[in-house]
Amino acid sequence: MLFEQQSEYFCVCILNKGNYFNHLLNFFLNSTQLQSSRAPSGGWRSLRNKQQCQNQSKTQKNEVEAEDQEKEIKEMAPRASCQTMCPAQELWNRESQNRLHCFEVVPGTESFRKPKGDPLRAVKEYSRPAAGKDVTKPSYLRPPDVLLKTVCYLIDEIAGSTSLHPWTEVYSFVFDRLRSVKQDMIIQRLSGKDCVAILELTVRFHIYASYRLCGEPLRIYDPRINDTHLQEYLNWLFDCYKTGTGPYPNQEEFQTLGLLYNLGSSPATQDVLELPERLRQTPSLKLALAINQAFLEGNHVHLLRLVQKLDFLQTCALHRHLVTCRRHLLLIYSHGYHSRNCRFPLDRLAQLLSLEPSLTAELCQVYGIEVNQHNQVLFSKSAFTEPEQGELNCKLYHSIGASRLSPRDRGKWIPTSP
């Protein structure tokens, strides 16, 4: 019908040659209007809905492909079959080569030329990957439950023992064996709640070690190496929190520890701010955010007051920033109370620094600040000096954490085996 009307109209235009171009223009305009009037209403809306459906189908397809890829990766991961903390072949090799640690031998055989290894105490040691060495053999890999059992043994029986000493040797042993656990986890592409449980125990150990071994000689303890491994464990743990299904009852605790350990760090702050509202409003995270804000604002007096509310392990995570806070506070007071006739009470300064008066006097002397015989501090901006390397022993000023170390607090970093 439309075609017949258009044909008749075109013939009339040919007969009327004078108005040919005007009629031709009107012909095309009328045709366009006629077609648009017959177009179904809501065309753009239907097109948009169609595009949304296509996008949703693509998203679902990508999710299915990601799940399939994850299943393929898990299927490709080596199967672990070792049911002991140390593979039998490794235990035999190290025993024959006299490479067993004193914590791994049968009691009473330490004086033997080749001490006998105890299968219940020996733990697989860390070894670097080498050419021709197959690290994926099932008999050398420990499954997740054995790895968790191994970590619990290292924390409860070795790191938490009061009879094993020196603690630097304990740290060296546990540190190496935890690296071996991490190696097995990576080879098996471990994830899920077992992975989270292992990482949480490991993070507790490294945070406590950073506090207890602070100030030790570098040949015994290197804080940078401990920090590198701790940061890797924290990032891995937080990634498990984000990608896992949960629930994770200890997430609040470790998000708090991560922020306190990385005080003033933009990535650490952003990670906490991106958490769900229910987590951000928990008491420990609100306190950690307040401490972080005080640190960024340079309000060190307020920060040291808030630190009094932390528990022992949280103080261990924060302690490495306390030296900087106290130094800045003394520097500010050296300028603010710079006067010949000004005398600042030592007890009041000790309260602000959260230290004993004797330790406060020692700290003032380290920075060149005079303390007279009447326990009065004489601040002077010209007398303030930076201590020489090795002169400031951070471990002497651990009074905040040491005062809270009790059997009840020990359980917060050395949890019982699940």
Side-chain angles (χ1 to χ4, degrees):
M1 184 66 182
L2 177 63
F3 178 75
E4 293 176 356
Q5 292 177 357
Q6 292 176 348
S7 300
E8 293 175 358
Y9 188 79
F10 189 71
C11 292
V12 172
C13 291
I14 294 176
L15 294 175
N16 191 359
K17 296 182 180 178
N19 296 326
Y20 171 73
F21 291 105
N22 292 333
H23 286 291
L24 185 62
L25 179 61
N26 292 331
F27 166 73
F28 283 112
L29 290 175
N30 292 333
S31 300
T32 305
Q33 292 177 359
L34 183 61
Q35 291 177 2
S36 62
S37 64
R38 295 191 176 188
S41 61
W44 289 105
R45 186 178 300 173
S46 62
L47 180 61
R48 184 174 58 185
N49 293 336
K50 183 177 180 181
Q51 290 177 348
Q52 290 178 352
C53 293
Q54 291 177 352
N55 293 335
Q56 290 178 358
S57 62
K58 288 181 179 179
T59 303
Q60 293 176 355
K61 183 178 179 181
N62 292 335
E63 291 178 353
V64 172
E65 290 179 353
E67 292 178 357
D68 293 341
Q69 187 176 5
E70 185 177 356
K71 290 180 180 179
E72 290 179 1
I73 291 175
K74 289 184 178 180
E75 291 176 357
M76 291 171 59
R79 300 281 183 176
S81 62
C82 179
Q83 296 299 319
T84 57
M85 295 189 296
C86 181
Q89 184 64 36
E90 179 187 321
L91 179 60
W92 184 85
N93 290 337
R94 289 204 284 135
E95 182 177 336
S96 61
Q97 298 169 8
N98 200 15
R99 291 193 299 110
L100 289 173
H101 196 277
C102 60
F103 298 156
E104 299 177 311
V105 300
V106 176
T109 65
E110 297 88 350
S111 59
F112 292 5
R113 186 174 64 89
K114 289 185 178 181
K116 186 175 179 56
D118 189 346
L120 299 178
R121 302 175 66 196
V123 183
K124 180 182 177 181
E125 67 176 358
Y126 174 76
S127 61
R128 296 182 180 275
K133 183 178 180 181
D134 186 10
V135 295
T136 63
K137 290 179 64 175
S139 60
Y140 274 78
L141 292 176
R142 296 161 291 183
D145 58 329
V146 178
L147 290 174
L148 181 58
K149 172 187 172 184
T150 302
V151 175
C152 290
Y153 167 79
L154 291 171
I155 300 300
D156 296 339
E157 304 298 331
I158 304 297
S161 174
T162 56
S163 59
L164 300 178
H165 56 83
W167 210 81
T168 52
E169 186 67 23
V170 171
Y171 169 81
S172 177
F173 176 78
V174 176
F175 176 83
D176 177 85
R177 296 327 190 244
L178 287 177
R179 290 188 72 185
S180 174
V181 170
K182 177 183 176 183
Q183 191 177 47
D184 282 12
M185 293 170 66
I186 293 175
I187 293 174
Q188 298 178 72
R189 300 176 179 88
L190 192 61
S191 60
K193 293 189 176 181
D194 286 333
C195 181
V196 168
I198 293 171
L199 292 174
E200 288 177 347
L201 292 169
T202 307
V203 166
R204 283 195 185 103
F205 168 76
H206 280 280
I207 288 178
Y208 176 74
S210 69
Y211 170 84
R212 179 160 181 170
L213 298 179
C214 178
E216 294 289 340
L218 287 178
R219 59 183 176 83
I220 298 177
Y221 167 74
D222 191 337
R224 291 187 179 182
I225 295 178
N226 187 78
D227 173 70
T228 300
H229 286 269
L230 176 54
Q231 297 288 9
E232 290 178 359
Y233 288 122
L234 281 172
N235 292 334
W236 191 356
L237 177 61
F238 294 160
D239 184 64
C240 289
Y241 287 152
K242 291 178 182 178
T243 58
T245 56
Y248 301 110
N250 297 325
Q251 183 176 1
E252 173 194 349
E253 173 192 351
F254 286 93
Q255 295 283 174
T256 302
L257 292 175
L259 181 58
L260 293 175
Y261 186 79
N262 295 295
L263 202 64
S265 168
S266 298
T269 305
Q270 184 177 357
D271 286 343
V272 174
L273 294 177
E274 290 177 351
L275 293 173
E277 183 72 16
R278 60 176 182 81
L279 276 176
R280 292 202 311 272
Q281 294 303 318
T282 54
S284 61
L285 270 175
K286 289 177 66 176
L287 177 60
L289 285 170
I291 293 174
N292 186 67
Q293 182 177 357
F295 181 82
L296 293 174
E297 294 173 350
N299 191 348
H300 305 293
V301 173
H302 183 52
L303 185 149
L304 290 170
R305 286 175 181 169
L306 292 175
V307 168
Q308 303 294 330
K309 301 179 182 180
L310 298 177
D311 62 29
F312 173 68
L313 192 60
Q314 291 172 350
T315 306
C316 291
L318 180 72
H319 91 279
R320 65 178 186 154
H321 303 284
L322 294 180
V323 172
T324 303
C325 293
R326 287 166 176 155
R327 179 220 173 251
H328 287 166
L329 190 148
L330 291 176
L331 178 61
I332 292 171
Y333 275 48
S334 295
H335 285 72
Y337 291 93
H338 172 70
S339 175
R340 291 184 178 180
N341 299 323
C342 181
R343 303 290 184 270
F344 197 93
L346 180 64
D347 292 339
R348 174 58 179 161
L349 183 61
Q351 184 180 2
L352 293 174
L353 294 173
S354 301
L355 290 173
E356 297 293 330
S358 59
L359 292 176
T360 303
E362 292 181 14
L363 187 63
C364 289
Q365 293 174 4
V366 169
Y367 286 103
I369 302 172
E370 181 182 353
V371 180
N372 62 21
Q373 58 183 357
H374 301 293
N375 288 333
Q376 296 173 335
V377 183
L378 284 68
F379 286 109
S380 173
K381 61 182 180 182
S382 59
F384 187 90
T385 57
E386 298 291 346
E388 297 180 0
Q389 186 176 4
E391 186 177 358
L392 180 61
N393 188 356
C394 175
K395 198 168 188 176
L396 294 176
Y397 308 103
H398 283 182
S399 58
I400 293 180
S403 62
R404 300 172 192 176
L405 181 57
S406 63
R408 182 172 58 87
D409 290 320
R410 273 185 73 253
K412 294 181 180 180
W413 82 271
I414 306 178
T416 56
S417 303

